[in-house]
Amino acid sequence: MSANERLLNSLRKTAQIFKKAREEARDYLLEPEAKTVCKEYGIPVTNFKVAKNVDEATEYAEEIGFPVVLKIVSPDVIHKFDVGGVVLNLNTPKAVEEAYRKILENVKNHKSNANIVGILIQEMAPQSTEVIVGATKDRQFGPALMFGLGGVFVEVLKDVTFRIAPISRNEAQEMITEVKAYPILKGYRGQPAVDINAIVEILLSTSRLVMDYPEIKELDMNPIIVYEKGAKTVDARIILE
Ligand code: ADP
Ligand code: MG
């Protein structure tokens, strides 16, 4: 396949996901859809597969490799963790089976008639520094990109920074250096520095994505785990106009 054909295939795949959501009158993309879109734009995401039954769940877990994470995939559940729809760090097929049943039970307790697409099986990303990349659409200026460190930095300290898309490589670098928590990324007290260039690339890819799809009202990759080398998006959400 030529580079051109690959690009066309990738564009088609992404467009198809947006089209499907519109046809189903959904105003947001499910995690596996959002991650597929991110991946097509070169953003690193955890490996994943959607299982429709327990047998598929254990099969996919073996394929992806333990430990794995299981998550609900349902248009009726937007905040998965809050309803018991996420189970982390599963190390055996038996644990996968139990988590599979437990998640379905939790989601049914939350909403008895929830529409369940399946259960997402994904690799468990090792712990490291967590960052957030997001985008929101401003009525006047169009999409604005957001960057910050995860957890308390964004939720309590509101230590985040914004730029109007599209952004240049320079602007992406500025976004990272200008948050107060930047020294944490650079390494401190023996903690190693994280791969800042990986974050720059993610910001640039996100900029391209929101420019290509004006129907994206909100995008959030929360969290992205960043390592000494590379990064991995473990959760992605895209809300449509
Ligand atoms: P929610 O829809 O509630 O935001 P998430 O997919 O973000 O659900 O999962 C909740 C939390 O679980 C994340 O913030 C992250 O700390 C952890 N987590 C989720 N997926 C993974 C993964 N693949 N590897 C490691 N940790 C994960
Ligand atoms: Mg999340």
Side-chain angles (χ1 to χ4, degrees), residues 69 71 80-81 88 122-125 222-223 234-235 237:
V69 174
K71 298 186 196 180
K80 304 173 292 285
F81 196 81
L88 301 171
Q122 62 183 241
E123 66 172 308
M124 169 91 192
N222 178 11
V234 307
D235 185 25
R237 205 168 354 251

Side-chain angles (χ1 to χ4, degrees), residues 12-108:
R12 276 193 207 107
K13 197 164 168 183
T14 314
Q16 186 57 38
I17 288 173
F18 282 96
K19 184 164 164 256
K20 184 161 186 274
R22 268 197 307 274
E23 281 167 3
E24 293 174 8
R26 274 189 281 128
D27 60 0
Y28 82 102
L29 302 186
L30 300 163
E31 180 179 334
E33 295 172 329
K35 275 186 171 165
T36 301
V37 169
C38 289
K39 196 172 157 198
E40 294 303 325
Y41 273 78
I43 297 168
V45 300
T46 46
N47 280 337
F48 65 86
K49 256 184 146 171
V50 179
K52 303 279 190 187
N53 56 53
V54 175
D55 289 341
E56 280 184 2
T58 50
E59 183 191 324
Y60 296 163
E62 304 267 12
E63 213 176 294
I64 290 166
F66 294 102
V68 293
V69 174
L70 263 59
K71 298 186 196 180
I72 186 67
V73 184
S74 164
D76 295 310
V77 181
I78 205 166
H79 297 287
K80 304 173 292 285
F81 196 81
D82 299 350
V83 302
V86 177
V87 184
L88 301 171
N89 205 20
L90 300 164
N91 283 294
T92 61
K94 187 162 181 288
V96 167
E97 274 184 48
E98 281 165 14
Y100 188 100
R101 297 205 170 88
K102 187 72 196 156
I103 288 175
L104 291 185
E105 190 187 312
N106 291 344
V107 171
K108 294 229 166 82

Side-chain angles (χ1 to χ4, degrees), residues 2 6 8 16 28 81 84 95 99 103 110 118 121 134 143 160 167 185 190 194 210 226 230 239:
S2 74
R6 263 200 305 276
L8 273 177
Q16 186 57 38
Y28 82 102
F81 196 81
I103 288 175
H110 166 71
I121 318 295
V160 291
I167 56 165
L185 300 176
V194 301
V210 294
V226 197
I239 312 229

Side-chain angles (χ1 to χ4, degrees), residues 200-239:
V200 170
E201 293 299 334
I202 292 173
L203 283 165
L204 288 171
S205 298
T206 308
S207 173
R208 280 195 291 122
L209 170 58
V210 294
M211 293 309 289
D212 285 356
Y213 287 94
E215 63 261 59
I216 297 178
K217 189 173 155 203
E218 271 176 53
L219 174 155
D220 105 86
M221 288 178 271
N222 178 11
I224 300 169
I225 307 185
V226 197
Y227 303 97
E228 281 183 69
K229 197 153 175 33
K232 218 145 233 191
T233 304
V234 307
D235 185 25
R237 205 168 354 251
I238 292 177
I239 312 229

Side-chain angles (χ1 to χ4, degrees), residues 74-216:
S74 164
D76 295 310
V77 181
I78 205 166
H79 297 287
K80 304 173 292 285
F81 196 81
D82 299 350
V83 302
V86 177
V87 184
L88 301 171
N89 205 20
L90 300 164
N91 283 294
T92 61
K94 187 162 181 288
V96 167
E97 274 184 48
E98 281 165 14
Y100 188 100
R101 297 205 170 88
K102 187 72 196 156
I103 288 175
L104 291 185
E105 190 187 312
N106 291 344
V107 171
K108 294 229 166 82
N109 286 339
H110 166 71
K111 191 171 186 225
S112 58
N113 63 345
N115 169 8
I116 290 160
V117 176
I119 300 282
L120 187 61
I121 318 295
Q122 62 183 241
E123 66 172 308
M124 169 91 192
Q127 296 237 304
S128 186
T129 306
E130 294 192 355
V131 302
I132 294 177
V133 168
T136 45
K137 214 157 148 191
D138 180 273
R139 246 195 243 154
Q140 197 178 350
F141 300 109
L145 299 170
M146 189 208 79
F147 170 75
L149 272 76
V152 289
F153 291 100
V154 53
E155 282 156 28
V156 184
L157 303 172
K158 314 280 183 223
D159 180 20
V160 291
T161 176
F162 295 92
R163 285 290 184 290
I164 302 297
I167 56 165
S168 65
R169 183 169 292 271
N170 240 341
E171 285 175 297
Q173 266 146 0
E174 278 169 20
M175 287 179 80
I176 298 166
T177 50
E178 103 198 351
V179 292
K180 292 193 195 73
Y182 175 59
I184 293 178
L185 300 176
K186 267 199 328 187
Y188 69 108
R189 293 201 182 177
Q191 286 288 109
V194 301
D195 191 341
I196 290 176
N197 202 47
I199 311 174
V200 170
E201 293 299 334
I202 292 173
L203 283 165
L204 288 171
S205 298
T206 308
S207 173
R208 280 195 291 122
L209 170 58
V210 294
M211 293 309 289
D212 285 356
Y213 287 94
E215 63 261 59
I216 297 178

